Amino acid sequence: MREDRRRRYDDGFRREALELIKSGAGKATLVRRLAIPVYTARNWIGLYRSNGEEAVMGGGGSRRYDWETKVAYLKAKVAYLKAKVAYLEKLRALRASKSRGASEAPSSDCSQGGDTGSTTS
């Protein structure tokens, strides 16, 4: 008979995770401190953001979520991804403007009539 390899998390463990999430910890912190898989940390953070503590604590045993919980979680995830895309587009525009600014900067060649730096007269 095959052993069930999924890890079960008791309420005390989930409360500890919730305290970290409430304090602003991200998935990397949860993974490091609690030794849980990345996908579990990501799911718990998303559930907390969309539906609060009860969504993370769930019922005893099976962790099946109702339709509204799933929809709220996905809406929160979409909003997060839209904000991330906007941020990345801002960064790309900033980098493009910096690289344009560097290419348009005055050069140090002599064609502008400046000092040549020569010591001979």
Side-chain angles (χ1 to χ4, degrees), residues 35-101:
I36 60 175
V38 173
Y39 62 86
T40 301
R42 184 180 56 235
N43 287 341
W44 285 357
I45 290 169
L47 285 170
Y48 176 75
R49 288 179 181 163
S50 62
N51 286 335
E53 292 181 29
E54 290 182 19
V56 177
M57 293 305 291
S62 177
R63 304 287 186 213
R64 299 202 183 239
Y65 302 104
D66 62 359
W67 181 255
E68 290 79 20
T69 302
K70 291 177 183 179
V71 170
Y73 171 76
L74 291 174
K75 283 182 179 179
K77 192 168 189 171
V78 167
Y80 168 77
L81 291 174
K82 283 182 179 180
K84 191 171 187 177
V85 167
Y87 173 75
L88 292 174
E89 287 175 348
K90 241 185 203 181
L91 278 179
R92 182 175 40 188
L94 181 63
R95 287 182 182 157
S97 69
K98 282 186 177 181
S99 67
R100 268 188 257 118

